[in-house]
């Protein structure tokens, strides 16, 4: 039944492309511009012939016109293995009635996996959960999406740091998507991400926030951390004002930090926009931002 | 059971109801709801006042309610009301020297008394006889004269104690009923009894005979007291009362001691024997002797010597100080009067001085006899109408409430028990939030 659950997700992302943000280093042919110049049909430029070049690349028509020997240089395209890391800890199981954060996170994860696989990129997934953790190696196999859909049909819960799984995912691929609320080991994640992005890899941080976290229900006077139940605070009107200020400042700082680390940062709020728009903002940060604001 | 001050019981019930109501209102930490971003909320503690559907801490509530009711009941002063009887009797038994046969008084009283009744023996002072079934046989005739006023007051007091257990109270007076038993207050005290009184006559003693009133005055012809005695018609020769305005002699004292005679020493000037000069001479507006009262400004120059033998006061100034005293001598008595009679003015002609002379010239107290009570006095004493209803009798000023210490003790025990029970109850709220771990990044 996982396919039935996520069928709307797959429909929503139909036709969306997810180009790499920078030239990829892979040598396996794929959809993304590679750092390697090759002999494909995608002409890029002429280069004077040097000893050792393949004579088959000589453009004889140009020789006839210019009396100079030039070879055709074309753009190589390669795959970009993608790993999607899903935070399935207790903080994602909010609100308790709907688990809207976890639902949005896994829909984004499946949607991105579908977009990547559709373009021919190997896609893998790591689900961070104390008891139901799963890791899928980046693959292009047709059944990989179905396996992922089944794997994400769990309930979020428990407490577990994301950094180790993130580091492992970064070793497996050149594009990593972190889908989390970043309420856990954010500093360790940022440090790993900074290193990953500095190595020329592509990093996306998708920050999941619930509407109830942006505007907590004023009728609820005492609030507790689901991952640390002993942490409880009262939400009086003055405390609410302080909370909104602090939480907003933290989100802004988080966005600056991730962008400063070389990652793209997208804030996804439950129930605020259609999934397709969110995916567009992730897969095409500049155009997605224009379309969101437009 | 009845309560002397039921308002306190109502107050206790109101306090108990308040305790019940307060146990529905609890202050507790509210139920916590999950919020992953709770770290951004500043640290503080919270209590919420809410209404609980079921009272909290039922054992503590029970103890508090009981304590409030017990304290209210204690202050309300409960009194156990015994089973009521239709009628109780209060019997006033005359044991004075005026009674001929004390056995007659005993027999008459025994026939009247039953369980739950009260017996008061009286002469000049009343005393209640408890356990009269055994004590009645020990009643003895006294040498004092009977006075009804204090006996009636004692009967009223006893009736106040009996009123809670009976519907009506009958007052019975077993007495020779002599006139001397009455005084100026008797009728007023009798009026306080709200019902009829049964009078049971017993024989009077032989010496209670009415003496003749007459005074032999030895004084100068123009002496004011002598003139007043003649005006009052009580001057007599060779009377049992001799009034001396001059210096008394030994023969006068011997004369008084030899028989039932009274020697009245009333010097014209100077202090009577056994009197000394007052530190300050003042004026009194009136002098009273028995039923006689002389209202006239008179100099007060002397006072009785306190070292003298006990005296009986026969006349007093208006402020209560003695004006004339009597001392028994042999079979008679000597009476010293320190009332100056002015030589000028119309005092000696006033009837009030004559009445005073009659009173000062009365026979000695020890030999005083009395005539039978006048029929009108008897009718007034007995009265008509029904018995005295218990509701018409004033309740006692002080009522013993033996239950109060027990109630207060029980309330004190519960008050000491309450904190122990409360300590053993589960807390109404969880641990305090004030000590929280330091917030993580972003919550500074």
């Amino acid at each position: 039944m996982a396919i039935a659950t996520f069928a709307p997700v797959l429909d929503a992302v139909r036709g969306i492309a997810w180009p790499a943000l920078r030239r990829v280093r892979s040598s396996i042919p794929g959809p993304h511009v590679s750092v390697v110049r090759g002999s494909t049909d995608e002409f890029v430029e002429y280069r004077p012939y040097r000893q050792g070049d393949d004579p088959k690349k000589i453009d004889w028509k140009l020789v006839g016109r210019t009396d100079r020997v030039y070879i055709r240089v074309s753009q190589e395209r390669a795959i970009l293995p993608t790993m999607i890391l899903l935070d399935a800890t207790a903080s994602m199981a909010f609100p308790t009635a709907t688990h809207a954060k976890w639902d949005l996170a896994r829909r984004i994860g499946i949607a991105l996996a579908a977009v990547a696989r559709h373009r021919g990129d190997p896609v893998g997934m790591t689900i961070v959960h104390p008891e139901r953790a799963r890791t899928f190696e980046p693959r292009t196999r047709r059944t990989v999406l179905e396996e992922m859909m089944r794997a994400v049909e769990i309930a979020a819960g428990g407490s577990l740091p994301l950094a180790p799984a993130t580091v492992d995912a970064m070793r497996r691929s050149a594009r990593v998507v972190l889908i989390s609320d970043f309420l856990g080991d954010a500093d360790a994640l940022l440090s790993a991400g900074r290193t990953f992005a500095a190595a020329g890899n592509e990093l996306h941080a998708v920050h999941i926030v619930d509407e109830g976290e942006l505007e907590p229900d004023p009728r609820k006077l005492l609030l507790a951390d689901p991952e640390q139940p002993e942490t409880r605070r009262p939400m009086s009107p003055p405390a609410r004002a302080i909370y909104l200020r602090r939480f907003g400042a933290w989100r802004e700082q988080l966005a600056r930090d991730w962008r400063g680390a070389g990652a793209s940062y997208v804030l996804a709020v439950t129930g605020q926009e259609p999934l397709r728009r969110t995916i567009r903002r992730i897969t095409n940060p500049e155009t997605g931002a224009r379309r969101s604001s437009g | 059971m009845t309560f002397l001050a039921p308002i306190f019981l109502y107050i206790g019930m109101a306090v108990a109801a308040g305790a019940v109501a307060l146990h529905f209102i609890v202050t507790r930490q509210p139920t916590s709801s999950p919020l992953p971003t709770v770290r951004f909320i500043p640290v503080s503690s919270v209590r919420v006042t809410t209404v609980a559907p079921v009272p909290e801490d039922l054992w503590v509530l029970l103890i508090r309610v009981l304590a409030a009711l017990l304290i209210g009941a204690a202050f309300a002063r409960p009194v156990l009301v015994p089973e009521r009887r239709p009628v109780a009797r209060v019997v006033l038994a005359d044991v004075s020297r005026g009674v001929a046969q004390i056995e007659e008084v005993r027999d008459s009283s025994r026939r009247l008394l039953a369980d739950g009744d009260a017996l008061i023996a009286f002469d000049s002072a009343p005393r209640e006889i408890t356990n009269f079934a055994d004590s009645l046989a020990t009643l003895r005739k006294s040498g004092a004269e009977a006075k009804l006023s204090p006996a009636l007051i004692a009967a009223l007091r006893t009736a106040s104690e009996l009123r809670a257990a009976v519907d009506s109270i009958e007052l019975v007076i077993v007495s020779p009923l002599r006139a001397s038993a009455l005084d100026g207050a008797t009728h007023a005290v009798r009026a306080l009894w709200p019902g009829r009184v049964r009078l049971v006559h017993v024989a009077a003693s032989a010496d209670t005979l009415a003496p003749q009133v007459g005074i032999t005055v030895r004084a100068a012809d123009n002496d004011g007291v002598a003139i007043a005695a003649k005006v009052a018609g009580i001057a007599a020769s060779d009377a049992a009362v001799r009034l001396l305005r001059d210096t008394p002699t030994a023969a006068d004292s011997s004369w008084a001691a030899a028989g039932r005679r009274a020697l009245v020493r009333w010097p014209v000037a100077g202090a009577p024997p056994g009197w000394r000069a007052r530190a300050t001479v003042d004026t009194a507006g009136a002098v009273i002797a028995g039923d006689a009262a002389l209202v006239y400004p008179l100099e007060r120059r002397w006072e009785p010597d306190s070292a003298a033998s006990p005296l009986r006061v026969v006349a007093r100034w208006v402020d209560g100080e003695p004006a004339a005293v009597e001392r028994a001598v042999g079979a008679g008595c000597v009476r010293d009067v320190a009332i100056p009679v002015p030589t000028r003015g119309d005092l000696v002609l006033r009837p009030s001085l004559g009445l005073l002379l009659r009173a000062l010239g009365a026979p000695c107290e020890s030999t005083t006899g009395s005539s039978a009570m006048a029929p009108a006095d008897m009718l007034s004493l007995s009265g008509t109408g029904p018995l005295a209803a218990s509701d018409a009798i004033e309740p006692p000023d002080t009522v013993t409430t033996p239950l109060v210490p027990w109630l207060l003790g029980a309330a004190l025990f519960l008050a000491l028990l309450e904190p122990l029970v409360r300590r053993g109850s589960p807390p109404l709220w969880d641990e305090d939030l004030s000590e929280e771990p330091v917030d993580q990044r972003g919550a500074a």
Side-chain angles (χ1 to χ4, degrees):
Chain A
M1 298 301 107
I3 296 176
T5 303
F6 291 100
V9 173
L10 301 179
D11 287 339
V13 300
R14 201 185 301 279
I16 292 179
W18 192 1
L21 295 180
R22 43 177 80 93
R23 295 170 185 265
V24 300
R25 296 181 183 276
S26 171
S27 59
I28 300 173
H32 307 286
V33 175
S34 174
V35 296
V36 176
R37 299 292 173 88
S39 57
T40 61
D41 294 336
E42 187 177 346
F43 172 77
V44 177
E45 62 181 2
Y46 286 109
R47 181 169 62 80
Y49 178 83
R50 291 197 293 263
Q51 186 176 3
D53 288 336
D54 186 357
K56 296 179 183 177
K57 295 182 182 178
I58 296 174
D59 188 335
W60 293 109
K61 290 181 181 177
L62 187 62
V63 171
R65 287 200 299 269
T66 63
D67 287 336
R68 293 184 181 175
V69 181
Y70 289 92
I71 62 169
R72 297 169 62 90
V73 177
S74 59
Q75 183 65 60
E76 287 286 346
R77 288 188 174 273
I79 60 172
L80 180 59
T82 302
M83 278 294 288
I84 298 169
L85 190 133
L86 276 181
D87 182 358
T89 56
S91 62
M92 296 294 287
F94 183 82
T96 51
T98 61
H99 290 199
K101 285 174 65 178
W102 166 241
D103 186 62
L104 177 61
R106 64 180 184 170
R107 288 192 298 125
I108 291 175
I110 294 298
L112 290 174
V115 169
R117 185 194 160 278
H118 177 73
R119 292 297 300 250
D121 288 324
V123 64
M125 182 179 283
T126 294
I127 302 171
V128 180
H129 190 283
E131 291 145 12
R132 310 285 290 273
R134 287 288 300 274
T135 297
F136 297 93
E137 291 284 345
R139 289 171 296 178
T140 57
R141 207 163 61 201
R142 188 170 59 84
T143 59
V144 66
L145 266 185
E146 293 174 22
E147 293 171 7
M148 290 178 183
M149 291 180 200
R150 280 193 290 273
V152 298
E153 289 225 304
I154 59 172
S159 179
L160 199 65
L162 270 66
T166 303
V167 171
D168 180 67
M170 289 171 177
R171 280 200 291 267
R172 299 171 190 271
S173 66
R175 178 163 65 184
V176 170
V177 181
L178 299 177
I179 305 175
S180 173
D181 55 8
F182 297 104
L183 292 175
D185 50 344
D187 290 340
L189 279 179
L190 188 63
S191 174
R194 190 176 289 117
T195 303
F196 182 74
N201 299 298
E202 184 174 320
L203 180 61
H204 298 268
V206 182
H207 185 190
I208 305 297
V209 175
D210 186 73
E211 291 176 306
E213 292 172 325
L214 293 178
E215 290 289 340
D217 188 347
R219 294 170 298 178
K220 294 180 179 174
L221 300 176
L222 187 64
L223 300 156
D225 188 336
E227 292 190 23
Q228 292 181 332
E230 66 277 8
T231 303
R232 287 176 290 175
R233 306 280 170 86
M235 185 72 92
S236 59
R240 182 185 179 83
I242 295 173
Y243 164 82
L244 294 175
R245 179 172 52 79
R246 286 181 178 178
F247 186 41
W250 175 76
R251 294 196 307 274
E252 291 171 2
Q253 182 63 44
L254 190 73
R256 283 195 294 272
D257 289 343
W258 281 102
R259 290 184 179 123
S264 79
Y265 172 88
V266 170
L267 178 69
V269 181
T270 59
Q272 253 195 10
E273 64 178 357
L275 180 65
R276 184 180 178 85
R277 189 174 298 172
T278 305
I279 299 302
R280 282 190 178 278
R281 289 197 294 121
I282 298 170
T283 57
N284 294 280
E286 293 178 359
T287 55
R290 280 203 302 273
R291 290 184 181 180
S292 296
S293 61
Chain B
M1 180 184 292
T2 185
F3 295 93
L4 300 181
I7 183 71
F8 290 102
L9 183 63
Y10 303 143
I11 293 173
M13 292 166 69
V15 171
V20 172
L22 287 175
H23 271 250
F24 279 95
I25 300 172
V26 295
T27 299
R28 65 172 79 199
Q29 195 177 79
T31 307
S32 63
S33 301
L35 181 68
T37 54
V38 74
R39 70 195 67 181
F40 300 104
I41 303 173
V43 178
S44 64
S45 63
V46 70
R47 294 285 184 266
V48 171
T49 300
T50 183
V51 177
V54 177
E56 293 284 338
D57 222 344
L58 291 176
W59 282 111
V60 175
L61 172 62
L62 180 64
I63 288 173
R64 289 172 177 171
V65 167
L66 282 177
L69 292 175
L70 286 172
I71 292 174
F75 278 94
R77 299 178 66 199
V79 177
L80 295 174
V81 179
E83 190 177 338
R84 293 179 76 88
R85 296 184 293 139
V87 179
R89 281 203 185 97
V90 177
V91 176
L92 297 179
D94 190 339
V95 296
S96 70
R97 65 187 184 88
V99 172
Q101 297 290 333
I102 193 63
E103 290 80 9
E104 190 180 357
V105 173
R106 289 195 207 120
D107 292 340
S108 299
S109 300
R110 190 176 290 114
R111 281 196 297 272
L112 294 166
L113 290 168
D115 287 340
D117 295 341
L119 171 65
I120 299 174
F122 75 97
D123 44 29
S124 60
R127 62 186 186 281
E128 186 170 359
I129 306 297
T130 56
N131 193 19
F132 52 76
D134 298 328
S135 303
L136 201 58
T138 62
L139 275 184
R140 293 287 180 269
K141 177 178 165 180
S142 74
E145 191 170 330
K147 292 295 178 188
L148 273 173
S149 295
L152 288 172
I153 292 173
L156 284 166
R157 196 176 298 125
T158 301
S160 293
E161 296 170 0
L162 293 176
R163 67 184 289 276
V166 295
D167 296 328
S168 302
I169 300 178
E170 182 183 20
L171 179 60
V172 182
I173 302 177
V174 180
S175 171
L177 295 173
R178 311 312 298 175
S180 59
L182 301 175
D183 56 32
T186 303
H187 291 292
V189 176
R190 166 63 184 91
L192 297 176
W193 184 265
R196 69 170 186 270
V197 176
R198 193 201 305 191
L199 303 178
V200 176
H201 283 79
V202 296
S205 60
D207 60 356
T208 56
L209 299 174
Q212 295 291 329
V213 177
I215 302 177
T216 302
V217 180
R218 193 171 80 194
D221 291 336
N222 60 350
D223 180 74
V225 173
I227 294 171
K230 289 176 184 173
V231 170
I234 57 174
S237 59
D238 200 24
V241 178
R242 184 182 293 177
L243 194 152
L244 306 180
R245 294 283 279 166
D246 52 14
T247 305
T249 63
D252 294 320
S253 301
S254 299
W255 171 84
R260 295 179 180 178
R261 300 177 183 132
L263 179 67
V264 181
R265 298 185 294 194
W266 194 335
V268 174
W275 289 65
R276 64 185 180 198
R278 291 171 63 90
T280 306
V281 176
D282 60 5
T283 300
V287 61
I288 302 160
D291 295 332
L294 174 63
V295 179
Y296 197 87
L298 298 168
E299 265 194 355
R300 194 162 55 174
R301 302 176 192 149
W302 304 284
E303 62 186 7
D305 191 345
S306 57
S309 57
L311 306 168
R312 184 177 82 92
V313 178
V314 297
R316 295 184 182 271
W317 297 107
V318 68
D319 60 359
E321 287 206 19
V325 298
E326 176 184 298
R327 185 183 302 108
V329 288
C333 63
V334 173
R335 203 168 285 153
D336 294 310
V337 180
I339 301 172
V341 176
T343 55
R344 295 197 180 101
D346 63 346
L347 176 63
V348 300
L349 301 177
R350 293 190 181 188
S352 56
L353 182 59
L355 292 173
L356 183 67
L357 282 174
R358 282 179 183 269
L360 293 174
C364 295
E365 186 266 343
S366 60
T367 61
T368 298
S370 176
S371 60
M373 196 179 290
D377 289 333
M378 282 195 191
L379 188 62
S380 173
L381 190 62
S382 65
T384 57
L387 299 177
S390 61
D391 294 341
I393 295 174
E394 288 288 328
D397 294 334
T398 59
V399 178
T400 57
T401 52
L403 292 177
V404 170
W406 292 100
L407 294 173
L408 288 177
L412 179 63
F413 170 75
L414 290 174
L416 294 173
L417 184 65
E418 191 260 359
L420 297 175
V421 174
R422 182 155 38 91
R423 196 176 301 149
S425 302
L428 294 179
W429 50 76
D430 299 324
E431 68 276 10
D432 187 20
L433 291 179
S434 59
E435 295 299 324
E436 284 282 344
V438 176
D439 200 358
Q440 295 182 17
R441 169 179 179 270

